[in-house]
Amino acid sequence: MQTAVIAWGDVASVLGGLAVLLLLLAAYFIPVLIAYGRGHDQLTLIVVLDVCFGWTVLGWLVALLWSLTAIEPGPAAAPFRRRPPTK
């Protein structure tokens, strides 16, 4: 019966590969993270664009530029006014 010997070089290689994979995955979602951090009003569409077309360089760049664009302010909340009681 043979015993399996795992070399530390193999373990380091696997861990290094996982680290690179995690870094690439984080880089893939940079436009989403920027849009989320800025509270972008088009966050959902940026996520869809990045997930569906981020694998193309052009789709990723468009998502990145869109996440850096100006944020449109939402409609101002109308002041609360209480209706007078009806008779």
Side-chain angles (χ1 to χ4, degrees):
M1 181 173 185
Q2 292 181 338
T3 58
V5 177
I6 299 175
W8 284 111
D10 294 339
V11 173
S13 177
V14 169
L15 291 178
L18 286 174
V20 168
L21 182 66
L22 288 174
L23 286 174
L24 289 174
L25 191 62
Y28 186 83
F29 288 106
I30 283 176
V32 174
L33 296 173
I34 291 172
Y36 178 78
R38 295 183 68 221
H40 204 287
D41 57 325
Q42 299 294 323
L43 175 63
T44 304
L45 294 175
I46 293 171
V47 170
V48 169
L49 176 67
D50 194 35
V51 169
C52 293
F53 300 105
W55 60 272
T56 66
V57 175
L58 182 61
W60 188 86
L61 285 173
V62 169
L64 179 65
L65 292 175
W66 194 2
S67 70
L68 295 171
T69 60
I71 299 170
E72 296 292 326
F80 180 77
R81 292 190 181 168
R82 189 173 191 178
R83 288 185 165 187
T86 57
K87 295 183 181 181

